[in-house]
Amino acid sequence: MYKITLKDGTVIDNLTMNGNNYVSPTEVDTVIFTRKNLSSIVVNDGEKDETLTNLLFVQETHMQDGYYFILRPMTDTEISTTDIQEALADIYEMSLGGTN
């Protein structure tokens, strides 16, 4: 069995693997898969922990035997683009805060 621990400490356990899909017997609330929570996760395969960084949530699909979801590494371009978007959002929020 696999267990994923997100950056904020949220644990998704009782998982199996099918190819590159994690399979959960219950639906996973995908709102937890934020950029911050996927910036660093720990995957335990039942024997050892592996830390993965800068992941993206791809999709969750309900199949007969469970809920399949995919997390994949971000490309360098995606990381750079996301960092720029976050910096621009911070600047925008600071400028709004300065007008009140």
Side-chain angles (χ1 to χ4, degrees):
M1 287 293 178
Y2 287 78
K3 175 176 77 170
I4 297 173
T5 305
L6 304 178
K7 183 166 181 99
D8 73 353
T10 300
V11 174
I12 310 163
D13 56 7
N14 201 25
L15 302 172
T16 58
M17 288 292 290
N18 186 334
N20 65 342
N21 293 268
Y22 293 98
V23 183
S24 173
T26 58
E27 186 173 9
V28 176
D29 184 1
T30 59
V31 74
I32 64 175
F33 295 132
T34 63
R35 165 93 160 102
K36 183 177 180 181
N37 262 348
L38 295 178
S39 64
S40 178
I41 71 169
V42 176
V43 178
N44 181 286
D45 65 2
E47 295 180 16
K48 65 182 182 330
D49 287 342
E50 179 180 6
T51 300
L52 304 174
T53 59
N54 294 317
L55 300 175
L56 277 178
F57 167 70
V58 177
Q59 70 179 14
E60 180 179 50
T61 304
H62 183 213
M63 305 291 277
Q64 187 174 7
D65 60 338
Y67 292 84
Y68 287 57
F69 67 94
I70 300 171
L71 304 175
R72 71 161 176 85
M74 295 175 77
T75 65
D76 289 341
T77 301
E78 288 169 328
I79 292 169
S80 296
T81 301
T82 303
D83 288 345
I84 291 168
Q85 289 170 333
E86 288 177 354
L88 289 172
D90 288 345
I91 291 168
Y92 179 73
E93 289 175 7
M94 285 189 301
S95 70
L96 287 179
T99 61
N100 291 333

